[in-house]
Amino acid sequence: MKHLLKLQDWSEQDIFEVLNLADQLKYEKKNGIPHPLLKGKTLGMIFEKSSTRTRVSFEVGMYDLGGQALFLSSRDLQIGRGEPVEDTARVLSRYLDGIMIRTYAQEEVEMLASYGLIPIINGLTDYCHPCQVLADLMTIREHRGTLQGQKLTFIGDGNNMANSLIVGGIKTGMTVAVACPKDYQPDPAIMEWAKANGNFICTDDVLEAARDADVLYTDVWASMGQEEEAAMRREIFRSFQINDATMAVAKPDAMVLHCLPAHREEEITAKVFEEHANEIFDEAENRLHAQKAVMVYCMKD
Ligand code: CP
Ligand code: NVA
């Protein structure tokens, strides 16, 4: 049994094992080869925030693996009325074989893991989004053949995506550059770790970060829970956009990724988005294969 609470907790070997398994499961799915690796298992999916990709990829993924998934909205659970996470964890441990949770505080996910007796998978917190980044690494490797030595540039808010991309990128041998406004940098401890363990820069100069990039990545300027800051953020982040000028300084064959949902003409122009739609929707598809690999890795006996 293994948790996926944040990528820092996983070794390089854990990450590559899951990426290899994801490639295999994708091949099997495309070729109609059944893979009921979690037959008879049940995953509970607790959502305290909205989701399209995470919910559907875990639910379909569990079906493909021969198990079942339960969608548990915090609006309906007693957790939404104040039942403590530590009690919820101990109760759900008695019914389920694993829990995927999407919530606000990373501490809630860590608490669930410390009280429960079953694998906990982080489906996004304000701090990180490890499942998305495993799908991203899978997509980069698929399109560019390798992760080692590739330059990954993230442009935008130093948010959950930025935090996980830095950790995932550095652990797999990529060079990581982040361009964000000075007051919206990624987690300081993650940046310190990245500087000590690989090639990492954080700057407020978008073109400096994008120069010679193999992969350009962006995400919304206002994340879930920050809706009331959206107008203010549109002003602050105006120049932190993937557009033709950014693409012009990246490698000529650079790929573009976006975890989605996207806000066209904010963090990415509609033109660049559509020119790279193939890569972006491969990335979305790979959520399914990567999440299946995560579930097998964490929940298999
Ligand atoms: N990228 C991602 O996690 O999408 P959802 O919010 O739709 O799950
Ligand atoms: N940063 C975004 C990611 C959505 C997948 C959010 O937290 O809303």
Side-chain angles (χ1 to χ4, degrees):
M1 161 185 138
K2 211 164 170 69
H3 300 301
L4 175 55
L5 309 180
K6 54 187 182 298
L7 283 178
Q8 290 93 312
D9 303 337
W10 276 24
S11 67
E12 190 186 325
Q13 190 188 335
D14 290 323
I15 293 173
F16 279 108
E17 273 187 42
V18 162
L19 295 182
N20 294 342
L21 181 56
D23 287 347
Q24 184 193 325
L25 293 171
K26 181 170 184 173
Y27 172 84
E28 290 179 1
K29 172 117 178 153
K30 299 277 178 198
N31 289 283
I33 303 167
H35 39 257
L37 300 172
L38 295 180
K39 196 169 185 313
K41 304 248 184 204
T42 303
L43 177 80
M45 308 187 298
I46 302 176
F47 281 94
E48 300 196 38
K49 290 175 175 172
S50 306
S51 171
T52 298
R53 282 143 288 267
T54 305
R55 177 185 174 176
V56 178
S57 60
F58 272 96
E59 197 161 332
V60 172
M62 204 51 185
Y63 177 82
D64 284 353
L65 292 167
Q68 62 171 336
L70 297 181
F71 174 68
L72 305 166
S73 162
S74 63
R75 272 196 297 270
D76 306 318
L77 292 173
Q78 294 289 7
I79 214 171
R81 296 179 55 247
E83 183 169 16
V85 175
E86 53 268 39
D87 292 356
T88 307
R90 284 178 283 192
V91 171
L92 294 181
S93 290
R94 309 271 179 130
Y95 304 140
L96 300 168
D97 303 294
I99 293 175
M100 189 277 288
I101 177 165
R102 166 168 288 196
T103 187
Y104 294 87
Q106 178 70 15
E107 294 69 36
E108 192 172 332
V109 178
E110 307 270 348
M111 171 103 87
L112 207 52
S114 68
Y115 277 93
L117 300 167
I118 55 175
I120 305 297
I121 298 169
N122 183 342
L124 178 145
T125 60
D126 293 342
Y127 176 67
C128 64
H129 196 1
C131 288
Q132 175 70 51
V133 168
L134 290 166
D136 299 338
L137 295 173
M138 177 184 180
T139 312
I140 296 168
R141 196 166 72 156
E142 220 171 47
H143 279 257
R144 303 197 68 86
T146 182
L147 295 170
Q148 186 65 40
Q150 297 283 304
K151 179 174 177 183
L152 168 65
T153 296
F154 178 88
I155 296 169
D157 185 18
N159 60 13
N160 42 12
M161 281 312 314
N163 286 337
S164 287
L165 283 166
I166 295 169
V167 178
I170 296 292
K171 284 201 181 221
T172 55
M174 300 177 87
T175 291
V176 181
V178 172
C180 56
K182 283 201 165 64
D183 293 338
Y184 294 85
Q185 293 190 344
D187 180 77
I190 288 181
M191 291 201 291
E192 206 171 301
W193 171 87
K195 282 179 193 149
N197 288 279
N199 293 322
F200 172 75
I201 62 154
C202 180
T203 171
D204 61 359
D205 183 337
V206 172
L207 295 184
E208 182 197 348
R211 191 152 290 119
D212 296 323
D214 296 282
V215 187
L216 287 166
Y217 199 116
T218 191
D219 181 20
V220 291
W221 291 338
S223 285
M224 288 181 277
Q226 297 171 336
E227 287 77 8
E228 70 291 347
E229 294 176 25
M232 181 188 80
R233 282 170 170 265
R234 268 197 289 278
E235 293 307 312
I236 294 168
F237 285 92
R238 191 181 292 279
S239 59
F240 292 84
Q241 184 188 60
I242 299 186
N243 50 34
D244 283 343
T246 336
M247 296 309 298
V249 300
K251 292 237 177 91
D253 64 344
M255 65 188 292
V256 174
L257 294 178
H258 192 309
C259 56
L260 303 176
H263 290 174
R264 287 166 176 76
E265 307 307 334
E266 292 192 11
E267 73 274 5
I268 188 166
T269 58
K271 177 171 178 284
V272 172
F273 185 94
E274 290 306 332
E275 283 168 356
H276 291 271
N278 180 39
E279 294 146 9
I280 293 168
F281 291 104
D282 274 356
E283 174 190 16
E285 176 189 329
N286 284 341
R287 288 298 303 277
L288 172 64
H289 311 298
Q291 267 53 128
K292 283 163 71 176
V294 168
M295 287 189 280
V296 172
Y297 199 62
C298 293
M299 292 171 65
K300 203 161 184 303
D301 296 324

